[in-house]
Amino acid sequence: MKKAIPAVLCIISLVIGAVSGYIYYSELRREECEITAANKVNSYTTVASVKKSYDFDTVEKDYFDDALFIGDSRTVGLQKYSELQNADYFAQVGLTVYRAFNVSVSNGYSYRTLLDTLKSGNYGKVYIMFGVNEITAELETSAAEYCKLLKTVRKYQPDALIFIEANLHVGKNRSDSWEYYSNERLDEYNNLLSINADNKDIFYIDINEVYDDSEGNLAAEYTADDLHLNADCYAPWTQYLMTHAINR
């Protein structure tokens, strides 16, 4: 019986953490985080104005010692197969902005919620990639949820640089098979997300620059399922991040 008590307490702790995150995020939903009509128009044109209005630095891997990566299965792949093992990760297969504060993820030692991670960490950089699991929903609604996520990150990590990572494209076959899962729709969503970049402490970066084929699809040599990168194909992502850093 005594041995069961710590396990029960651990479960109770996880439930309390998840509920706390849900309550906080529900309260945050009441705050204004809307995309204006003008931004909607801009989002469907171009993100060139935010992509190259500042100079990136090239850094070594120790730049990511104080980095946190937040995301879905693509970020899980970065965690498992890249050389950036010195960073922290909050990533889960199938995770979305809608559920980000409602789950607990293992960091190798214990399970923690995203809210606990943000409260307890001291991060200099936070990288976020969410969207491939959201694009079948209404894009502007998902983008508003993403904006709320950014607000929460900023609240608990006020000094961190935030990098909005464009969603990695999918392969041509997957893109062509369903209009609601197409690269055109991913681009529309990426453009909506890019509006949040202020080029001061929130930046937009696009790894599709290194993974796209000539038609704007995830190149076949990098993927076996038209959705995820192969295990040996994370080096370009790592290199891209190392050459698109901000020092201040």
Side-chain angles (χ1 to χ4, degrees), residues 17 40-41 53 68 104 130 133 137 140 151 159 171 179 196-197 209 217 230 237 245:
K40 289 179 185 177
V41 173
S53 58
L68 171 66
S104 296
F130 276 126
N133 297 317
E140 286 157 3
K151 281 176 173 270
D159 299 320
E179 64 176 313
N196 295 290
E209 295 175 13
N217 303 299
N230 296 331
W237 189 342

Side-chain angles (χ1 to χ4, degrees), residues 1 15 29 33 47 52 65 71 73 80 104 137 170 172 178 184 187 192 201-202 215 223 246:
M1 182 65 180
V15 171
R29 290 173 64 92
C33 195
V47 296
K52 291 298 181 183
D65 285 349
S73 56
K80 292 177 64 176
S104 296
V170 298
K172 178 176 174 56
W178 189 20
E184 181 179 0
D187 285 339
L192 283 171
D201 50 26
I202 303 177
E215 297 180 357
T223 181
I246 298 291

Side-chain angles (χ1 to χ4, degrees), residues 10 59 87 92-93 195:
C10 180
V59 297
Q92 187 179 76
V93 175
I195 294 168

Side-chain angles (χ1 to χ4, degrees), residues 107-237:
N107 63 359
Y109 304 98
S110 62
Y111 282 85
R112 57 183 181 172
T113 66
L114 180 54
L115 198 58
D116 288 338
T117 301
L118 293 172
K119 285 181 176 180
S120 62
N122 183 21
Y123 298 108
K125 308 100 186 172
V126 178
Y127 292 81
I128 306 171
M129 183 185 288
F130 276 126
V132 74
N133 297 317
E134 289 93 327
I135 61 168
T136 55
E138 208 281 327
L139 294 182
E140 286 157 3
T141 300
S142 294
E145 289 296 311
Y146 191 104
C147 178
K148 294 167 190 172
L149 172 63
L150 290 176
K151 281 176 173 270
T152 306
V153 171
R154 177 55 69 220
K155 177 176 180 177
Y156 291 105
Q157 296 295 323
D159 299 320
L161 295 171
I162 299 176
F163 292 87
I164 298 170
E165 295 183 277
N167 285 279
L168 185 69
H169 285 153
V170 298
K172 178 176 174 56
N173 290 337
R174 186 177 290 264
S175 180
D176 291 346
S177 65
W178 189 20
E179 64 176 313
Y180 284 96
Y181 214 87
S182 67
N183 284 323
E184 181 179 0
R185 192 166 174 83
L186 268 173
D187 285 339
E188 290 178 0
Y189 189 59
N190 284 339
N191 288 345
L192 283 171
L193 301 185
S194 74
I195 294 168
N196 295 290
D198 60 11
N199 302 329
K200 296 177 181 177
D201 50 26
I202 303 177
F203 302 91
Y204 178 81
I205 55 177
D206 189 353
I207 63 168
N208 291 304
E209 295 175 13
V210 297
Y211 285 113
D212 272 359
D213 62 19
S214 60
E215 297 180 357
N217 303 299
L218 176 58
E221 62 262 32
Y222 295 123
T223 181
D225 64 358
D226 279 348
L227 181 61
H228 302 96
L229 295 175
N230 296 331
D232 59 350
C233 293
Y234 283 87
W237 189 342

